[in-house]
Amino acid sequence: MFSKARFLISVVLVLSVFAIESPACKVPVFRYALERWAADRFTIVAVIDGEPNDVVADALGKLQSLRDSQANVDVEIIDLSTLSEAELWSVEGLGDTEEAPVLQVFYPDQDSGQRRLCWSGELTAENVEAWRDSPLRRKICEEIQSGVSAIWLFVEGNDSEANADSVARLMAALRQAESTVEIPEGVIRRRDAAVVLAEDATLSMDDVLRCDIPLKVQFSLIVLSRDDDQEWALRAMVEGMSNQTDVACAVPIFGRGRMIDPLPMSSFKDQSVLKACSYLFGECSCSVKALNPGTDLLLDASWQDLLGDQVVISEAVVVQPESLSIPPGHVQNSRPDFDQATPVEDNFAVSGLLVAIVALGCLIAAVFAWSRVSTVAISSDKHD
């Protein structure tokens, strides 16, 4: 009888986890992401075949330095000459037309278990350096560190006249957003935390900022030119998210380089920008990061040094389903067409559906286990 009671209590506790909704904290989305989301890691793979020549050896040396850097990247070196026939078939991203040596860059796997190829090309030291860092990516880190709420990266298309018009429209929309959105009430600055929390015991540490970077309403615009030879890796990361090239788009970047999927200028609306900015300033509620839209940039940045020792690394993520209406997040091996973009609210609805499915699975497992316990108990009573 005691075992049955303990089992029922366990079932109730498990199901209660899914029934209780976590209260939102006051820290806005973009700042919560900056202070608490660890950047997802890319994977760079060097595929060689036997003893490397001088060019490849230099590239492997650069990869070793990249492995030891602060960049959110893992490095793998695969020597085909050491693999069996069966192992050769398992090498990812190596098509029939590619031969070693080759350099491959994979997006973070987003817990899907299958890596998605972002780029593949010549294995050279120059290409490794291009993936490690670039002027625009350094500028993005600097602006985030200065307190900019989000950087909007405008990626030029082929039409120069349309590009200029799009930049002007996007800038106007961002200025409107700056005059509209507000910092949530109740955010506690780190320097004020001791006094404020002592005065009101009902307040939560979740509402306290974890670093002293200025908290302000500010959006900046950075243009990625088509003829910028130093930024081809950044363009590859953006275009790989949409599976389209030569299409002008705007990409909001916040946190530690988190990109929400490109907003195509062909379907640009001021309201879409305002909703995206409002989402970034919304109060946060916690969920699983991987279930939310977006992909991180590859950045060579030590966020712990930039933000300070009080920053907390967390797998929590912030969501505000009712606010954001821009193209959906990264889905492994499946990207939406620009002209048929689905609002991000659908991603959050999917997240809720996944939670509901998990809860239902727990309930089914509980019922099954309960039936087994009852059967065993009945059988025991019969034997007695």
Side-chain angles (χ1 to χ4, degrees), residues 276-291:
C277 294
S278 298
Y279 158 73
L280 293 174
F281 271 84
E283 297 177 5
C284 68
S285 58
C286 299
S287 183
V288 179
K289 180 181 179 182
L291 296 181

Side-chain angles (χ1 to χ4, degrees), residues 60-361:
L60 295 180
K62 291 291 185 181
L63 282 173
Q64 182 58 51
S65 66
L66 179 58
R67 176 181 283 159
D68 298 332
S69 73
Q70 300 291 339
N72 54 317
V73 62
D74 295 319
V75 174
E76 298 178 8
I77 299 175
I78 300 175
D79 186 350
L80 300 181
S81 67
T82 66
L83 302 182
S84 66
E85 188 69 25
E87 290 172 330
L88 287 172
W89 284 98
S90 67
V91 178
E92 293 181 85
L94 196 63
D96 295 334
T97 59
E98 290 186 314
E99 296 183 358
V102 65
L103 185 67
Q104 303 170 326
V105 180
F106 292 90
Y107 284 109
D109 62 20
Q110 302 288 330
D111 298 325
S112 65
Q114 183 178 4
R115 297 187 299 196
R116 182 170 183 265
L117 186 65
C118 172
W119 177 89
S120 179
E122 192 176 0
L123 178 56
T124 64
E126 292 75 17
N127 284 347
V128 173
E129 284 297 300
W131 277 101
R132 175 175 182 163
D133 196 16
S134 67
L136 284 189
R137 280 181 282 169
R138 287 194 295 273
K139 183 175 179 59
I140 288 171
C141 291
E142 291 169 0
E143 298 218 347
I144 290 174
Q145 187 181 7
S146 73
V148 171
S149 313
I151 298 95
W152 285 72
L153 179 69
F154 176 75
V155 182
E156 289 186 342
N158 287 328
D159 189 331
S160 58
E161 185 175 340
N163 289 335
D165 179 67
S166 295
V167 168
R169 292 169 58 203
L170 180 57
M171 181 62 75
L174 292 176
R175 297 292 82 84
Q176 179 187 7
E178 284 182 343
S179 65
T180 302
V181 302
E182 297 179 348
I183 297 171
E185 293 185 6
V187 178
I188 305 171
R189 264 67 173 182
R190 190 161 70 99
R191 63 179 179 272
D192 302 327
V195 175
V196 173
L197 293 175
E199 291 176 348
D200 189 346
T202 65
L203 298 179
S204 171
M205 276 295 297
D206 287 337
D207 300 332
V208 178
L209 299 180
R210 304 302 172 88
C211 70
D212 294 325
I213 287 177
L215 180 63
K216 55 188 176 181
V217 181
Q218 182 181 354
F219 303 106
S220 68
L221 176 62
I222 294 178
V223 176
L224 174 54
S225 173
R226 293 210 60 80
D227 57 2
D228 191 341
D229 294 336
Q230 298 183 80
E231 299 296 342
W232 59 264
L234 177 57
R235 177 176 287 275
M237 281 185 267
V238 173
E239 291 182 343
M241 292 172 63
S242 63
N243 285 335
Q244 296 195 33
T245 59
D246 303 327
V247 177
C249 60
V251 185
I253 301 171
F254 63 101
R256 302 185 184 189
R258 186 79 171 169
M259 301 182 289
I260 298 177
D261 275 17
L263 174 66
M265 299 310 296
S266 60
S267 59
F268 174 87
K269 295 180 181 178
D270 292 354
Q271 193 65 20
S272 297
V273 174
L274 180 58
K275 286 184 177 181
C277 294
S278 298
Y279 158 73
L280 293 174
F281 271 84
E283 297 177 5
C284 68
S285 58
C286 299
S287 183
V288 179
K289 180 181 179 182
L291 296 181
N292 286 264
T295 300
D296 291 337
L297 283 171
L298 197 167
L299 299 173
D300 188 7
S302 173
W303 292 106
Q304 203 70 25
D305 293 337
L306 293 175
L307 303 179
D309 295 336
Q310 299 300 316
V311 174
V312 175
I313 304 294
S314 172
E315 286 304 317
V317 72
V318 285
V319 295
Q320 192 183 33
E322 70 280 5
S323 298
L324 183 57
S325 179
I326 56 179
H330 171 70
V331 179
Q332 194 73 18
N333 294 326
S334 176
R335 313 299 299 176
D337 292 335
F338 276 149
D339 297 332
Q340 299 177 349
T342 304
V344 167
E345 285 93 331
D346 293 348
N347 288 275
F348 299 131
V350 170
S351 301
L353 178 60
L354 290 174
V355 172
I357 291 173
V358 172
L360 180 60

